[in-house]
Amino acid sequence: MIGLSSYAGVMESLMNSAEEQQPSSLLANKNQKPKCVGGFVLVHAGAGYHSESKAKEYKHVCKRACQRAVDRLKAGALAVEAVAAALVELEDSPFTNAGMGSNLNLSGEIECDASIMDGKSLHYGAVGAISGMKNPVLVANRLLSEAQKGKLSAGRIPPCFLVGRGAHDWAVGHGIPPCPSEKMATKFSLSAYKRNKRKMELAEKMDTGHNQAKKRRQSSENENGSGCLDTVGAVVVDLQGNVAAAVSSGGLAMKHPGRVGQAAHYGCGCWAENACNMNPYSTAVSTSGCGEHLIRTMLARECSAAMQSEDAHQALLDAMQNKFISSPFLASEDRVLGGVIVLRCCRCVEPQPSQNIQGILVEFLWSHTTESMCVGYMSAQDSKAKTHISRLPPGTVPGQCLAIEGGVCRLTSAVE
């Protein structure tokens, strides 16, 4: 195991002041209302393989996603609205495997997964293997918001997770316009599909040994995007202390039609939970990687639970090692591939206490066992987002070691 600790892009003075803060409950006085708005967002463009040639594009889409979320926060939106806005930007990019430009399945079709969770209400919405929707996260978000309205006619329980044609028809019935699947494919995704199909056909004709097949498979992963595992996601906290998380994916290239990955599964793709009497910290998590590995370990929820420990950095390191890499549920796997972004926050006591000032201490981290992971982050006080492509050290084996980085930020607001 390798753990890389780097609190990136955070001013030393901010780190020092944050260390002096003492956590207190995020349950705010109901009679106090923030006078200003804002918050913090952390996004990822996938854990997998990010070539140097496309690094600029990945960073640029992360910056746009952060800005989109911050704009919503500044306009007074809650965390769940801001995180959905960030995901829309990530899905619209042709360089990510979500929404527009998603991987094609064995039948040459695009089927997407997405989910979103609101830490305030603890409601969750998800879609799996949905086709013909430009922004699957908007369908997931609509499922969440509709569920919050209560029971349907005749006392029926509203759905929180829909798949396939049923998810598509539900979305159209609730005013979300469809998008022809052929318009969602890009030149890159189509060429990758044709390349993958040729390699699969060739592999089926060849009589090869296990080792040769394994080498060819690993080489194929880095060459064509089947190893990119570039699910996208975001986590957000608003100035009221509410957290939210979301995730979206086109799934593995050449997947079987109908396959649903971790991006849609409860506790696997994302998790968000406001602080309560039992938990002093609000937490939000979004994952990326091999969906089957993330489903079998419920990594999002495991990381969220770990964040209630005093040392966030060590807690995430332990969770990734013990609950993922060394998980007994993945004992048969040679390489365990995945990544997470994590945000946790709490109210903090100001150095000079004032009844008119509230502060929120935000700790944000990312960790991955894949070759690389692209992230971006921004607070409402920042003029622009910061981006970073985290990579494993040369010579290390993806799936058998991990990298972990992060930072801290303190948000303040006046109250009346």
Side-chain angles (χ1 to χ4, degrees):
M1 177 192 71
I2 294 179
L4 304 178
S5 175
S6 173
Y7 278 65
V10 182
M11 297 174 60
E12 188 67 25
S13 59
L14 178 57
M15 290 180 65
N16 291 337
S17 64
E19 289 172 357
E20 297 172 359
Q21 307 303 318
Q22 298 298 318
S24 61
S25 173
L26 261 176
L27 302 176
N29 186 331
K30 293 182 179 180
N31 295 323
Q32 291 183 322
K33 296 181 180 180
K35 189 176 181 178
C36 59
V37 292
F40 179 87
V41 57
L42 170 65
V43 307
H44 71 79
Y49 173 74
H50 301 84
S51 66
E52 294 288 354
S53 62
K54 293 189 177 70
K56 185 177 180 180
E57 285 83 359
Y58 281 116
K59 289 182 177 181
H60 189 54
V61 68
C62 283
K63 284 184 178 179
R64 293 202 310 269
C66 287
Q67 188 63 61
R68 185 87 170 262
V70 165
D71 288 345
R72 296 294 295 128
L73 290 169
K74 287 182 176 179
L78 295 177
V80 69
E81 301 171 62
V83 82
L87 261 290
V88 167
E89 193 68 40
L90 292 167
E91 288 176 337
D92 286 347
S93 170
F95 296 100
T96 62
N97 177 31
M100 189 71 64
S102 288
N103 287 332
L104 276 65
N105 63 17
L106 276 174
S107 301
E109 299 173 342
I110 290 177
E111 293 182 330
C112 296
D113 308 324
S115 64
I116 187 170
M117 188 167 180
D118 175 20
K120 182 179 181 181
S121 66
L122 300 182
H123 277 273
Y124 145 93
V127 290
I130 188 172
S131 297
M133 283 290 153
K134 181 171 175 283
N135 296 112
V137 73
L138 293 183
V139 186
N141 192 38
R142 186 62 182 270
L143 279 164
L144 183 153
S145 61
E146 288 297 316
Q148 289 177 324
K149 296 178 181 178
K151 294 182 179 180
L152 305 175
S153 61
R156 292 173 297 142
I157 302 296
C160 66
F161 184 6
L162 292 174
V163 298
R165 186 69 192 181
H168 176 275
D169 292 347
W170 185 94
V172 172
H174 284 77
I176 300 176
C179 176
S181 295
E182 58 270 20
K183 290 188 177 181
M184 292 181 64
T186 62
K187 290 182 179 180
F188 176 78
S189 63
L190 287 171
S191 63
Y193 171 73
K194 293 176 182 178
R195 187 165 60 247
N196 287 331
K197 191 173 183 180
R198 286 196 301 268
K199 289 185 177 182
M200 285 185 63
E201 292 171 348
L202 181 62
E204 290 171 358
K205 293 178 182 179
M206 294 175 63
D207 181 18
T208 61
H210 172 74
N211 290 335
Q212 286 179 301
K214 185 176 180 181
K215 288 180 180 179
R216 183 175 62 253
R217 184 170 63 251
Q218 290 177 349
S219 173
S220 173
E221 285 178 352
N222 285 344
E223 289 175 3
N224 58 50
S226 62
C228 285
L229 309 174
D230 42 3
T231 299
V232 301
V235 290
V236 170
V237 57
D238 59 37
L239 271 186
Q240 295 181 37
N242 302 306
V243 293
V247 61
S248 181
S249 177
L252 297 173
M254 310 304 287
K255 65 184 179 181
H256 194 282
R259 180 259 191 188
V260 177
Q262 106 285 354
H265 281 79
Y266 187 70
C268 305
C270 67
W271 191 264
E273 192 170 353
N274 278 14
C276 62
N277 294 331
M278 297 282 292
N279 298 324
Y281 296 102
S282 291
T283 58
V285 181
S286 182
T287 68
S288 177
C290 177
E292 282 67 21
H293 295 173
L294 297 163
I295 291 170
R296 288 158 64 188
T297 54
M298 294 191 71
L299 190 61
R301 190 170 184 179
E302 289 284 4
C303 288
S304 176
M307 287 299 101
Q308 296 302 326
S309 300
E310 184 176 350
D311 187 333
H313 183 276
Q314 187 62 46
L316 183 58
L317 185 65
D318 292 343
M320 289 293 291
Q321 179 62 44
N322 301 327
K323 302 295 185 179
F324 194 57
I325 294 178
S326 302
S327 171
F329 297 101
L330 301 176
S332 62
E333 300 293 339
D334 293 331
R335 300 190 303 162
V336 179
L337 300 170
V340 298
I341 56 172
V342 178
L343 175 156
R344 85 168 187 183
C345 55
C346 63
R347 295 284 178 196
C348 54
V349 179
E350 296 298 316
Q352 296 179 342
S354 170
Q355 293 183 347
N356 297 322
I357 298 293
Q358 288 184 354
I360 297 177
L361 178 64
V362 179
E363 296 173 85
F364 56 98
L365 297 156
W366 55 88
S367 180
H368 58 97
T369 66
T370 55
E371 289 188 47
S372 59
M373 187 170 190
C374 184
V375 300
Y377 54 95
M378 182 180 186
S379 79
Q381 290 114 335
D382 294 332
S383 58
K384 61 180 181 179
K386 298 179 179 66
T387 58
H388 175 59
I389 296 183
S390 173
R391 298 186 186 277
L392 291 179
T396 56
V397 181
Q400 297 178 3
C401 58
L402 64 89
I404 180 169
E405 304 178 70
V408 293
C409 177
R410 186 160 60 88
L411 308 175
T412 59
S413 65
V415 296
E416 56 184 13

